[in-house]
Amino acid sequence: MFDMIKFYISLLLARSAYAGIKLFSKSSGTSFAGKMVLKFYPDFLSNCRGYINNKFITVTGTNGKTTTSGIISHIIENAGHSVIHNLKGANMLTGVANVFALNLKPFKKFDYAVIESDEAYLQKLYDYINADYLIVTNLFRDQLDRYGELNTTAGLIKKAIDKNNDLKLILNADDPLVASFGKDKNALYYGFEEVEYDCTYNGESHAPAENFNCLCTEALKYKKRFFAHEGHYYCEKCGYKRPKCDYPAKVRVSDNSSEIVLIYNDESYRFTVNLSGLYNAYNALAAISTALELGISADDIQKALDSFKSIFGRTEKKIIKGHKSVIQLIKNPTGASEVLKTVDLKSNIVIAINDNYADGRDISWLWDSDFELLKDAEKSIITSGIRANDMALRLKYAGIPQDKIVVVPDIKDAINLAADTASDSEGITILPSYTALLEINKMKF
């Protein structure tokens, strides 16, 4: 009884804190209330599972967590169910606590929860909540100062999985590390059998790809490689290979959309996703597979995909000073290289790089990202943020002429310059790191 009283007091504290920070515009409000709640009642999250009537779904991985969880949540909601979801991507414990504290009510329950979790915090989340599903999107090198090498990140996720024997895994079969989580577990797999490009760019990238060894230590080989280490791999020594998919699909990637043909229960289903890039096709396939697993019809899934809008810097579209603008988060070599393939080289381009804690202090990833893809940009490229000069140097070595590189450290000034120098018909492409994206989200133009 005492615990429930503390729980209800926590809900009141959260709402009061949120009202205060919004009144004084001191924060975006994605984690502050959660910090207060967990300090007052550390076991707050243990009580939250009881407010979900149906399934508790978690999503983790290096890239695509926010988009994948956003699509899943949108599909569930459009199918007529209530869902609680950390929409803005605050995915550490404080962010998760924040979304529950601000949305739960003593006598109201939700049908589903869809929670994106930081890879390093997943096992901490599972200390408090037994999830029903875990979707793992991919594993790439990311923020080496926080996570270390990939095996470290994989180990953290595996420890989380081992905490819950009833957990059902939905795994990217095309990622050898992710697929390995399914060994001796209750796992389903999704992946692409074929990838076709029908757009102004192709799938080629000069960014370095990870080389993976099998558990037997032999280097993996590939029959098909779609990007980075994603593809159809096999081991010549022990026979380990990409698992057979429960949700196999083919995809045709166009400039601003993808067409996915998925086989499920021996029937073929065609889905159109209004997001650019193969990386977003993977995110959509993960979400579609999860929705089908939940029993949602293909028609309801497509209706939701038709109305889905990009989330917070993930191919987010805005009008800035009358110009169509696209904001694309970049934060690690593979993710940045895939985004760079889709950049409109006729647009005015702003690259805003910070090295705050949430970005990762180590910016060596800039040198492993394929900025050479910007060599044919028609306009000047503006670099901004704390590491504006480092980004400018990287562009110089990528082959962009120095007279086309403009350094404007203040991010708002940089975007204003891009807008003011663009003609009426020209768009703006903004490529920010994470905390630069948070700054942009607060700006008014």
Side-chain angles (χ1 to χ4, degrees):
M1 185 65 165
F2 180 68
D3 279 349
M4 290 311 297
I5 291 172
K6 290 190 76 173
F7 181 73
Y8 294 144
I9 293 173
S10 297
L11 298 182
L12 291 173
L13 277 175
R15 284 161 171 75
S16 299
Y18 185 74
I21 60 175
K22 298 309 285 183
L23 180 64
F24 295 105
S25 299
K26 294 295 184 183
S27 166
S28 60
T30 58
S31 61
F32 181 75
K35 288 179 184 177
M36 286 192 60
V37 163
L38 292 179
K39 190 166 185 179
F40 172 74
Y41 183 28
D43 287 332
F44 172 80
L45 286 169
S46 298
N47 290 279
C48 294
R49 181 63 182 88
Y51 284 83
I52 308 302
N53 282 327
N54 205 329
K55 301 298 183 183
F56 198 108
I57 301 160
T58 47
V59 182
T60 198
T62 310
N63 290 88
K65 296 185 290 291
T66 300
T67 299
T68 301
S69 59
I71 297 173
I72 294 170
S73 177
H74 188 67
I75 292 171
I76 291 171
E77 207 164 34
N78 275 260
H81 306 290
S82 58
V83 58
I84 189 165
H85 167 51
N86 50 341
L87 174 67
K88 292 188 176 180
N91 56 28
M92 297 182 187
L93 277 190
T94 53
V96 176
N98 200 86
V99 73
F100 278 104
L102 295 179
N103 287 279
L104 291 184
K105 296 178 183 178
F107 303 107
K108 178 188 175 182
K109 293 189 176 183
F110 288 81
D111 297 322
Y112 292 88
V114 180
I115 298 298
E116 167 193 342
S117 176
D118 178 276
E119 304 94 290
Y121 280 81
L122 184 64
Q123 60 177 319
K124 296 179 182 179
L125 176 63
Y126 285 179
D127 283 338
Y128 299 101
I129 291 174
N130 285 330
D132 297 291
Y133 288 96
L134 172 64
I135 296 95
V136 187
T137 58
N138 49 59
L139 283 178
F140 301 120
R141 283 191 301 123
D142 185 32
Q143 295 190 30
L144 296 180
D145 52 326
R146 278 188 62 206
Y147 296 112
E149 288 296 341
L150 272 180
N151 286 339
T152 302
T153 308
L156 293 172
I157 295 174
K158 190 174 187 309
K159 285 179 181 177
I161 291 170
D162 289 342
K163 286 188 174 185
N164 185 357
N165 291 328
D166 296 325
L167 187 66
K168 194 165 192 176
L169 305 175
I170 299 179
L171 305 174
N172 179 358
D174 296 346
D175 187 306
L177 262 181
V178 171
S180 71
F181 296 143
K183 185 180 180 182
D184 301 324
K185 300 292 182 182
N186 184 8
L188 298 171
Y189 298 91
Y190 65 91
F192 287 118
E193 306 305 314
E194 300 286 347
V195 173
E196 179 183 345
Y197 287 90
D198 182 21
C199 49
T200 54
Y201 63 92
N202 59 37
E204 294 179 4
S205 174
H206 301 100
E210 294 289 338
N211 290 316
F212 279 100
N213 287 350
C214 182
L215 293 176
C216 73
T217 72
E218 186 78 4
L220 288 174
K221 296 186 179 299
Y222 283 80
K223 292 181 180 178
K224 298 177 184 178
R225 198 161 188 160
F226 301 135
F227 75 93
H229 55 261
E230 306 278 298
H232 296 193
Y233 46 86
Y234 64 97
C235 176
E236 289 183 330
K237 183 178 178 181
C238 72
Y240 175 69
K241 61 182 179 180
R242 172 187 182 262
K244 182 180 178 182
C245 288
D246 301 276
Y247 295 96
K250 297 179 180 180
V251 62
R252 175 179 289 181
V253 181
S254 301
D255 280 331
N256 297 304
S257 64
S258 291
E259 186 177 78
I260 295 172
V261 179
L262 182 148
I263 305 298
Y264 176 63
N265 286 341
D266 297 324
E267 290 191 41
S268 178
Y269 297 91
R270 190 177 300 272
F271 300 97
T272 300
V273 183
N274 296 317
L275 295 171
S276 62
L278 178 58
Y279 60 99
N280 272 324
Y282 267 104
N283 297 335
L285 180 58
I288 292 166
S289 302
T290 303
L292 289 170
E293 177 66 19
L294 295 175
I296 298 173
S297 73
D299 285 344
D300 283 341
I301 293 171
Q302 185 59 65
K303 287 176 185 175
L305 292 173
D306 289 341
S307 60
F308 178 74
K309 294 182 179 179
S310 300
I311 295 172
F312 189 46
R314 281 72 173 179
T315 325
E316 183 181 6
K317 296 178 181 179
K318 285 187 173 183
I319 300 296
I320 297 178
K321 290 190 164 184
H323 298 279
K324 292 181 180 179
S325 305
V326 177
I327 305 173
Q328 290 262 54
L329 172 70
I330 57 173
K331 64 188 184 75
N332 56 48
T334 300
S337 296
E338 287 302 301
V339 165
L340 287 164
K341 291 177 187 176
T342 70
V343 169
D344 178 4
L345 298 179
K346 296 179 181 179
S347 65
N348 283 17
I349 300 169
V350 177
I351 307 175
I353 303 298
N354 286 344
D355 64 348
N356 295 311
Y357 173 75
D359 301 292
R361 303 287 190 188
D362 180 0
I363 60 161
S364 63
W365 64 272
L366 296 177
W367 295 90
D368 290 334
S369 302
D370 198 1
F371 286 100
E372 283 74 12
L373 290 165
L374 300 181
K375 279 193 296 186
D376 295 327
E378 295 185 5
K379 310 294 181 183
S380 294
I381 301 176
I382 303 169
T383 65
S384 189
I386 297 169
R387 292 294 195 138
N389 288 312
D390 298 84
M391 188 65 246
L393 181 65
R394 174 66 184 95
L395 292 180
K396 174 187 172 183
Y397 279 92
I400 289 107
Q402 278 190 269
D403 61 359
K404 291 185 72 173
I405 303 169
V406 181
V407 178
V408 182
D410 184 87
I411 296 173
K412 188 168 186 178
D413 288 347
I415 296 173
N416 276 325
L417 177 61
D420 293 341
T421 55
S423 68
D424 292 343
S425 61
E426 289 173 346
I428 302 170
T429 298
I430 304 171
L431 306 175
S433 65
Y434 183 67
T435 63
L437 174 62
L438 294 179
E439 289 180 45
I440 293 166
N441 194 51
K442 297 176 186 177
M443 294 175 185
K444 294 180 181 179
F445 295 96

